[in-house]
Amino acid sequence: MAIKTGIVRDDRFLEHNTGHIHPEHPTRLKSVYKMLDSEFSDDLIRIETQLAPLEYLELVHTPIYIEKVLKTANHDFTSLAPDTPASAKTWLAASLAVGGCISGLEALVDKKCEVCFSLIRPPGHHALADRAAGFCVFNNLGITARYAALQHNFKRILIIDWDIHHGNGLQDTFYDSSSVFYFSTHDTRLYPYNGDWAETGEGDGRGYTVNVPIARNLTDSDFFHLYRILLADITAHYRPELILVAAGFDAHRLDPIGRSSLTEYAFSGLMHLILDLKKASGDPPVLMALEGGYHPGALADCVHAVLKVLTTKQNQSVHIPEISQRVETMVKKARKIHTPYQVWTH
Ligand SMILES: [Zn+2]
């Protein structure tokens, strides 16, 4: 059965101009939108984005920081962080990126769709309460999680972050909370150089952050099994009412900054897996938001692979190869580190 799939797209995201040599350039999203036009003309439900009101931005960010971003409007160039430039329309795009996630959530709550993919920029998972970081301006999914809890009373929200960079902004936002469970795989040798196994949460959030550093030569099959085994335990025990996916595709082998070895099939595998987990967890809505992915062609291929899983009319079966020793060791390590908290290991 095809899944009722919403997408958020808007050409105003392309107006966040980072300069010709910046990896997070508008061509990324242009390539995705071009693919959508040629491959998915009738299969997707278009969800309109909206400007995020200031009070939503304040669910994660400080008023001083929001003011700083607002002041960049209509200036050709402002440096928000050494790696995060703002152009005259960055405020607009960043506010629409948050609004695009919130619109997606509202569409899910209203049952207009079962899964929504917000194809937005700038990305969000590195953005901190008081500063831009790692090409991210506002923490799109962090704000959406807080909004979902506040407006719709979601009590257990699972964030799955498969971008190759650790989502330090997301982790920071919910580090002491049990109402958001953060699961991330990433390469700790890349920016922001954290996300170690031992970062597991604090206070009420102890055990609700799971970081799994991965090797650069991890295969599609390893990636799939790692997620399959760990997320099965996490969803069974945590019983998420809402699933958010920080969907970056910079672990693709062609990505110029990700330095990893995955193909687009790794992400179609994960999409199958998330649909299975959704079914097994009482059918919580799934909101995906684009994060990284810096090879425009590979990025479009990955988004295509994910959307194909959602829109296909047949039940596809995934060929599941053997579990490698390497994955078994990683799973064992994650369980050992998290056993004292008894959140998902009991
Ligand atoms: Zn990334």
Side-chain angles (χ1 to χ4, degrees):
M1 272 289 286
I3 302 290
K4 256 178 22 183
T5 304
I7 53 149
V8 172
R9 59 178 287 184
D10 195 303
D11 284 348
R12 289 174 292 178
F13 296 130
L14 308 174
E15 296 184 41
H16 166 47
N17 179 10
T18 48
H20 292 303
I21 53 161
H22 197 284
E24 205 287 281
H25 49 79
T27 316
R28 301 173 57 230
L29 210 48
K30 265 186 207 163
S31 166
V32 172
Y33 289 176
K34 195 173 160 201
M35 177 279 295
L36 290 178
D37 290 336
S38 64
E39 303 285 328
F40 293 98
S41 51
D42 300 323
D43 301 325
L44 302 167
I45 301 158
R46 179 84 174 261
I47 310 295
E48 294 301 322
T49 184
Q50 54 176 321
L51 286 165
L54 291 180
E55 64 260 35
Y56 295 173
L57 303 178
E58 286 177 6
L59 291 171
V60 168
H61 298 287
T62 62
I64 292 173
Y65 172 60
I66 295 167
E67 178 78 17
K68 183 178 172 182
V69 182
L70 182 55
K71 279 187 180 155
T72 67
N74 303 319
H75 294 282
D76 285 345
F77 174 81
T78 312
S79 174
L80 283 172
D83 58 8
T84 314
S87 65
K89 295 287 180 67
T90 293
W91 161 263
L92 175 72
S95 177
L96 287 168
V98 174
C101 292
I102 289 175
S103 297
L105 179 80
E106 290 294 345
L108 290 161
V109 170
D110 292 343
K111 310 257 185 246
K112 286 184 190 147
C113 51
E114 298 162 86
V115 175
C116 182
F117 200 162
S118 295
L119 294 160
I120 56 177
R121 63 184 285 276
H125 72 155
H126 299 303
L128 296 158
D130 61 352
R131 59 188 189 274
F135 318 162
C136 301
V137 178
F138 294 132
N139 201 314
N140 306 318
L141 282 183
I143 294 166
T144 306
R146 288 247 164 99
Y147 172 90
L150 202 69
Q151 296 290 329
H152 296 292
N153 205 25
F154 285 107
K155 291 193 173 19
R156 292 181 307 280
I157 301 171
L158 171 64
I159 301 181
I160 298 167
D161 188 336
W162 72 45
D163 190 281
I164 196 60
H165 301 93
H166 179 242
N168 56 319
L170 282 171
Q171 174 170 303
D172 261 37
T173 306
F174 303 109
Y175 207 51
D176 59 358
S177 166
S178 60
S179 58
V180 174
F181 193 117
Y182 180 64
F183 176 85
S184 176
T185 57
H186 44 268
D187 181 348
T188 50
R189 289 175 295 173
L190 297 175
Y191 177 90
Y193 313 104
N194 54 9
D196 187 68
W197 294 94
E199 295 170 28
T200 54
E202 65 187 15
D204 289 347
R206 274 165 68 91
Y208 292 87
T209 291
V210 174
N211 282 304
V212 181
I214 56 175
R216 289 181 173 171
N217 61 357
L218 205 73
T219 64
D220 288 356
S221 159
D222 285 344
F223 201 58
F224 177 78
H225 283 298
L226 187 64
Y227 272 77
R228 182 179 63 77
I229 299 168
L230 291 175
L231 284 181
D233 281 355
I234 288 167
T235 52
H237 287 97
Y238 189 64
R239 296 174 291 113
E241 297 175 334
L242 171 66
I243 298 175
L244 305 178
V245 182
F249 298 98
D250 38 13
H252 191 280
R253 62 171 62 167
L254 296 179
D255 194 274
I257 63 177
R259 301 185 196 181
S260 292
S261 316
L262 302 182
T263 74
E264 53 273 31
Y265 300 110
F267 301 105
S268 49
L270 287 199
M271 195 66 245
H272 275 291
L273 181 65
I274 287 174
L275 291 180
D276 287 348
L277 294 170
K278 173 177 161 67
K279 210 170 161 187
S281 318
D283 217 19
V286 176
L287 175 67
M288 308 169 65
L290 185 64
E291 297 285 354
Y294 301 101
H295 183 290
L299 175 61
D301 288 347
C302 290
V303 175
H304 179 267
V306 163
L307 291 175
K308 209 71 198 165
V309 172
L310 292 166
T311 55
T312 191
K313 301 285 186 290
Q314 291 99 32
N315 274 329
Q316 287 184 346
S317 62
V318 191
H319 171 62
I320 302 176
E322 293 288 293
I323 302 172
S324 67
Q325 187 59 47
R326 169 158 75 169
V327 169
E328 282 182 1
T329 305
M330 292 167 82
V331 167
K332 217 179 264 177
K333 185 164 181 177
R335 284 189 177 136
K336 191 174 173 206
I337 288 167
H338 281 268
T339 292
Y341 312 121
Q342 294 284 295
V343 173
W344 56 274
T345 48
H346 52 288

